[in-house]
RNA sequence: CGGGGUGUAGCUCAGUCUGGUAGAGCGCUGCCUUCGGGAGGCAGAGGCCGGAGGUUCAAGUCCUCUCACCCCGACCA
């Protein structure tokens, strides 16, 4: 490709509404253009990268024997009403109406459609297992689109669905898919981690997420130093502390604590270690436990894990924090002065709280705290539960090693769905036993467009993007210096371009006749992995100049045999 | 959806408080000089100041209403 014909439009300045590196660099390099909130066009440059990702995904899916198809983006409401997700999926579902007033959705995912296909197409266990996939535009009406294509409303997704005669077959495909996904992210040149995950809205039992590690990631993931334990923090159970609370060493005392609203203020003003304090959070109780409110206790330096809490039978799901008015009505004190002693509502404590002694907590009376509280002596110990987020250094739940935390961008998610959809849509086949069986299903997603952003998050420097070779829009940039004035430079660059292109290398020849600095900066910004500079200076010595995008310095290549030397640099000789 | 903020040239932003000729830098067009890390000069093009009402002799600026976008929170690939 000739740069002069490629509509390369880069900007020096960073657009004001981009926060993270990938979004900024995608805009500056001209890969994407925003049409409206959460909806982007891909320019020729961006589209080349997106297609690279798409092709890797497609090749690996095909290699595994999965069948590509294409389903409609627009789906009839009836299908969604049949599974109940017309209402359950909530506001994320974009509903649209045709001229006759019939309702449709723009598909955010395709369990309904694929299961409809399966119930019509699949008759016998002999056709199973079978896995279909597609690469297609999805729309989810995110409450808050963010970070460019990282969390867009419209995005490109690879979604796959498998159908089975029994759970054992589902598990086999599930773990096979786990390997396929791992291969995809490896091939894309990404540093990633598979972690156990919450299965969330889609339902089902087992589930893993694949995260590209990046500091700007929206998810917190946890893994063990010594075992293969890895999980999303939403799901990571905290190891139960061993032993009992130490014997009381202090008397309980009631202390006036005006101007204390937070744990931090309490610790600072009264010189209390934070791990000797208790945070009392009040949430809505579940209906089956009688409604009302329930208090959750975690250690002052710990955070409540809302996902775990919502799964407890005593707690309403989804989790809802009580308002200050509700708390005052039930307890008679504000949120800053709550604690377990004389608490008039039911209470659950994180396991780590139950092994504390001589601790401080609110007195359920405004501007008063108790210090030196001990379980049993001063107040009956509440029931224990796993309520908190694990923290760096915790013992791994499997007992091997300690936990490390990292941030990740979720780029893939695999689920064992079970028969949730096959039952509600009556997708059954005849088994070997001659009876009908609802097919257990798996579903597997990859955020194709999100991978592009995640790859940049993981691979950039102060000059721009540093594409992993498999994702780069072009492999080699050829930069002629002052080509306008030197036919020699021009001819060598053209010949190199022709030869490399003939050898199947994707080259970008910068024939724009710009000043060298502009070309260098542009090519670094858009992140082309290999750069060859053709200049009078080098030609006099029979040399070209070569540089890897991520290298510190240039190296010379002999003009004679330059094509072979470059192919060798690409690992293609 | 709650809370905060911003809308002025293709982009980044001044100007709004205190009403009076619509600006700068980058980018774009032409010419000249320059040419190995975002050059310099000259000459240009480009704006219903997000939209609608209102106040005023006069509104980018003041008032009301709207729309869009961004940021912080709960969801997801």
């Amino acid at each position: 490709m000739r740069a002069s014909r490629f509509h390369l439009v880069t900007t020096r300045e960073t657009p004001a509404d981009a926060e993270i590196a990938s979004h900024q660099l995608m805009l500056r390099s001209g890969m994407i253009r925003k049409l409206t909130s959460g909806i982007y066009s891909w320019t020729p440059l961006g589209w080349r990268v997106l297609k690279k990702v798409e092709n890797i995904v497609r090749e690996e899916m095909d290699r595994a024997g999965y069948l590509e198809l294409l389903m409609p983006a627009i789906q009839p409401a009836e299908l969604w009403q049949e599974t109940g997700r017309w209402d359950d999926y909530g506001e994320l579902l974009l509903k649209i109406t045709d001229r006759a007033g019939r309702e449709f959705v723009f598909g955010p995912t395709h369990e309904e459609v694929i299961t409809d296909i399966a119930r019509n197409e699949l008759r016998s266990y002999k056709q199973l297992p079978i896995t279909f996939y597609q690469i297609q535009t999805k729309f989810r009406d995110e409450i808050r689109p963010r970070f460019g294509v990282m969390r867009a409303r419209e995005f490109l997704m690879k979604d796959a669905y498998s159908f089975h005669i029994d759970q054992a077959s589902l598990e086999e495909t599930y773990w096979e898919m786990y390997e396929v996904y791992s291969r995809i992210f490896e091939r894309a040149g990404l540093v990633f981690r598979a972690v156990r995950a919450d299965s969330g809205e889609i339902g089902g039992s087992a589930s893993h997420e694949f995260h590209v590690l990046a500091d700007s990631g929206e998810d917190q993931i946890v893994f063990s130093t010594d075992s293969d334990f890895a999980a999303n923090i939403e799901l990571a159970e905290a190891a139960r502390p061993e032993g009992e609370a130490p014997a009381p060493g202090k008397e309980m005392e009631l202390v006036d604590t005006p101007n204390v609203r937070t744990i931090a203020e309490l610790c600072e003003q009264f010189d209390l270690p934070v791990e000797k304090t208790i945070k009392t959070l009040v949430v809505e109780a579940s209906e089956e436990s009688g409604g009302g409110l329930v208090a959750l206790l975690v250690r002052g330096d710990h955070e409540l894990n809302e996902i775990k809490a919502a799964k407890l039978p005593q707690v309403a799901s989804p989790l809802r924090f009580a308002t200050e008015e509700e708390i005052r009505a039930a307890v008679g004190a504000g949120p800053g002065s709550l604690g377990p002693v004389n608490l008039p509502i039911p209470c659950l404590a994180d396991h780590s709280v139950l092994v504390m002694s001589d601790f401080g907590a609110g007195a359920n009376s405004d501007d008063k705290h108790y210090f030196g509280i001990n379980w049993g002596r001063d107040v009956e110990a509440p029931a224990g539960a796993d309520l908190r987020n694990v923290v760096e250094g915790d013992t791994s739940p499997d007992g091997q090693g300690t936990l490390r935390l990292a941030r990740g961008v979720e780029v893939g998610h695999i689920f064992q769905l079970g028969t949730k959809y096959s039952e509600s849509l009556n997708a059954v086949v005849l088994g070997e036993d001659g009876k009908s069986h609802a097919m257990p299903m798996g579903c597997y997603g990859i955020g194709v467009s999100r991978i592009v952003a995640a790859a940049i998050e993981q691979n950039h420097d102060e000059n721009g993007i540093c594409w992993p070779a498999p994702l780069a829009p072009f492999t080699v940039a050829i930069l002629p210096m002052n080509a306008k004035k030197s036919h020699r430079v021009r001819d060598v660059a053209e010949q190199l371009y022709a030869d490399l292109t003939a050898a199947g290398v994707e080259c970008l020849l910068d024939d724009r006749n710009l000043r060298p600095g502009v070309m260098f900066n542009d090519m670094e910004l858009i992140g082309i992995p290999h750069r060859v500079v053709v200049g009078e200076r080098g030609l006099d010595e029979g040399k070209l100049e070569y540089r890897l995008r991520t290298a510190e310095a240039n190296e010379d290549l002999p003009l004679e045999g330059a094509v072979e030397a470059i192919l060798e640099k690409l690992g293609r000789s």
Side-chain angles (χ1 to χ4, degrees), chain A residues 298-507:
Chain A
V298 295
R299 217 168 71 185
D301 56 331
H302 287 155
E303 272 179 11
L304 179 70
N305 181 311
E306 299 185 18
I307 305 275
K308 288 187 203 169
K311 285 180 182 164
L312 297 171
Q314 297 93 333
V315 175
S317 179
L319 185 102
R320 185 181 68 82
F321 283 100
T323 62
E324 178 158 357
E325 293 73 52
E326 287 174 315
I327 293 172
R328 286 199 174 278
V331 182
S337 304
L338 303 178
V341 181
N342 300 326
L343 185 68
I345 59 176
C347 177
L348 287 168
D350 184 72
H351 293 305
S352 62
V353 165
L354 297 176
V355 296
M356 292 167 68
S357 64
D358 299 328
F359 56 86
N364 301 315
S365 170
D366 279 339
D367 300 331
K368 292 192 193 314
H369 280 73
Y370 282 114
F371 291 174
I373 309 172
N374 284 277
W375 297 118
R377 186 191 69 183
D378 305 317
V379 57
E380 196 184 329
D386 182 11
L387 290 177
R388 68 180 176 95
N389 281 335
V390 297
V391 294
E392 183 102 23
D394 273 353
T395 304
S396 175
D398 60 9
Q400 299 173 48
T402 56
L403 295 181
R404 288 277 168 75
L405 299 188
R407 298 208 74 89
V409 177
E410 186 189 347
V411 290
H413 200 159
I414 60 177
F415 300 85
Q416 292 179 29
L417 286 177
T419 53
K420 174 173 169 163
Y421 297 93
S422 46
E423 276 176 17
S424 59
L425 293 171
N426 195 32
V428 298
V429 292
L430 286 185
E432 217 170 348
D433 56 6
K435 294 180 182 154
S436 282
H437 297 269
M439 291 177 280
M441 293 170 58
C443 81
Y444 319 90
I446 288 181
V448 175
S449 44
R450 180 179 282 179
I451 286 176
V452 176
I456 296 173
E457 283 303 322
Q458 209 173 63
N459 299 281
H460 68 273
D461 63 16
E462 64 280 6
N463 295 323
I465 301 167
C466 307
W467 288 115
L471 305 188
F474 297 96
T475 306
V476 177
I478 302 171
L479 307 193
M481 300 290 101
N482 284 314
K484 203 193 278 182
K485 280 209 173 155
S486 165
H487 63 76
R488 194 160 60 124
V489 166
R490 208 158 53 226
D491 292 347
V492 170
E494 287 285 350
Q495 191 60 50
L496 192 59
Y497 174 60
D499 292 346
L500 284 172
T501 302
V505 178
E506 294 177 293
C507 294

Side-chain angles (χ1 to χ4, degrees), chain A residues 192-344:
Chain A
F192 71 98
R193 198 113 197 176
V195 305
R196 287 167 50 202
D198 185 54
S199 50
E201 239 349 88
I202 293 184
S205 45
S207 131
H208 283 81
E209 291 168 349
F210 290 77
H211 287 265
V212 168
L213 301 186
D215 291 339
S216 59
E218 294 188 84
D219 285 282
Q220 187 100 60
I221 63 174
V222 178
F223 48 92
S224 166
T225 50
D226 295 346
S227 73
D228 57 4
F229 174 84
N232 192 304
I233 198 164
E234 293 175 346
L235 194 80
E237 56 270 49
R240 260 176 104 144
E242 295 182 5
E244 313 248 312
K250 291 181 181 169
E251 289 306 307
M252 184 168 82
E253 51 173 336
L254 186 61
V255 181
D256 280 319
T257 54
N259 310 319
V260 169
R261 293 279 302 173
T262 65
I263 293 283
E265 288 166 352
L266 185 69
C267 294
E268 191 178 327
Q269 292 178 30
F270 294 89
D271 199 26
L272 212 55
V274 68
E275 63 279 3
K276 285 282 184 188
T277 62
I278 284 186
K279 221 180 324 195
T280 305
L281 300 150
V282 181
V283 301
E284 189 179 5
S286 63
E287 283 187 24
E288 52 274 30
S289 68
L293 302 178
V294 57
L296 305 176
L297 308 182
V298 295
R299 217 168 71 185
D301 56 331
H302 287 155
E303 272 179 11
L304 179 70
N305 181 311
E306 299 185 18
I307 305 275
K308 288 187 203 169
K311 285 180 182 164
L312 297 171
Q314 297 93 333
V315 175
S317 179
L319 185 102
R320 185 181 68 82
F321 283 100
T323 62
E324 178 158 357
E325 293 73 52
E326 287 174 315
I327 293 172
R328 286 199 174 278
V331 182
S337 304
L338 303 178
V341 181
N342 300 326
L343 185 68

Side-chain angles (χ1 to χ4, degrees), chain A residues 22 43 62-63 112 133-134 158 166 231 238 277 287 311 334 349 398 407 414 426 439 472 553:
Chain A
S22 61
T43 64
D62 288 347
R63 190 212 299 269
E112 277 77 3
Y133 80 95
Q134 64 172 348
K158 187 285 302 175
D166 56 23
T277 62
E287 283 187 24
K311 285 180 182 164
D398 60 9
R407 298 208 74 89
I414 60 177
N426 195 32
M439 291 177 280

